[in-house]
Amino acid sequence: MLATCERGDTRTMGTRTMPGAIGPIFAATAILVAPVFFSPVLAASCPAPLAQAKRLVLVATQSMDTALATLQLFTRRSADMPWKRVSAAEPAVVGKAGLGWGYPILDAKEGEEPEKVEGDKRTPAGFFRIGASFGFAPSPRRGYIELKSGETVCVEDPSSPLYNTIAKRSDIGAVLADDMRSSPFYRSGLFVDYPSDGATRRGSCILIHIWSAPDKGTAGCVGLPEPRVEALQEFSRAGTVIAILPATAFDRFPGCLPPPTVRPAALTGGTP
């Protein structure tokens, strides 16, 4: 059984509208706080695409097996400058089963830690560029995808050449895909440019979208309160990177990331 994040009941067949780079003007939001600076690093020593990133969305969990997470935003003026915190720590959720190491960064795995595969209810751990914003309403954001009922789908079938893309139903042929407009959780969201592998079913349609509840995980995406999703759409200019990691793995990337702030295993609050 194929599974997208918070899949609706409606499945359709679909065409490609590849998620493009976005470049909204960064706007100050209510989550901005006093900046904190961290030690500069040599960009060449950090994993791509983090090495050259100037905007970072950091999602941290306590372990690979929890759905509760914390999200913070950081910026820096250049790749050899320190990260500056520009948001408070906010509650988030990841996959119902937690995290699994993403296809491009399997060498970071230790021991019996899980790897991301299609339908496992895990969000891929690693470093990925944030792609196009999407939603139900029109938007002037560059690359924005307005979701159309019965038309806009995300392709999860590994047999399709359009696997792991947002597409139009007329372009996907006889392939099953989810009608994105049918889910209220996709009213606002962003596509994560997760470089999957269809041949080994490494997962698809990884999104940042509205959560259903502050203590309920997704089918493999990152979930946030709706106002935070909208703020993140404003923050995420072209080249913004999301890092999704358990706190236990931060020391595997020395000097590359700010220290993690993690959400306790018990519910800490937040509003759906």
Side-chain angles (χ1 to χ4, degrees), residues 5 63 70 79 87 91-92 102 119 141 158 169 176 186 201 208-209 246 265 271:
C5 293
S63 72
T70 299
S87 84
R141 292 188 183 95
R169 66 176 181 177
L176 291 176
Y186 297 159
R201 301 175 59 88
I208 301 167
H209 63 69
T271 55

Side-chain angles (χ1 to χ4, degrees), residues 105-120:
I105 196 166
L106 295 179
D107 56 357
K109 172 184 170 180
E110 290 187 356
E112 298 301 314
E113 291 176 340
E115 300 177 9
K116 171 65 186 174
V117 293
E118 189 73 47
D120 62 359

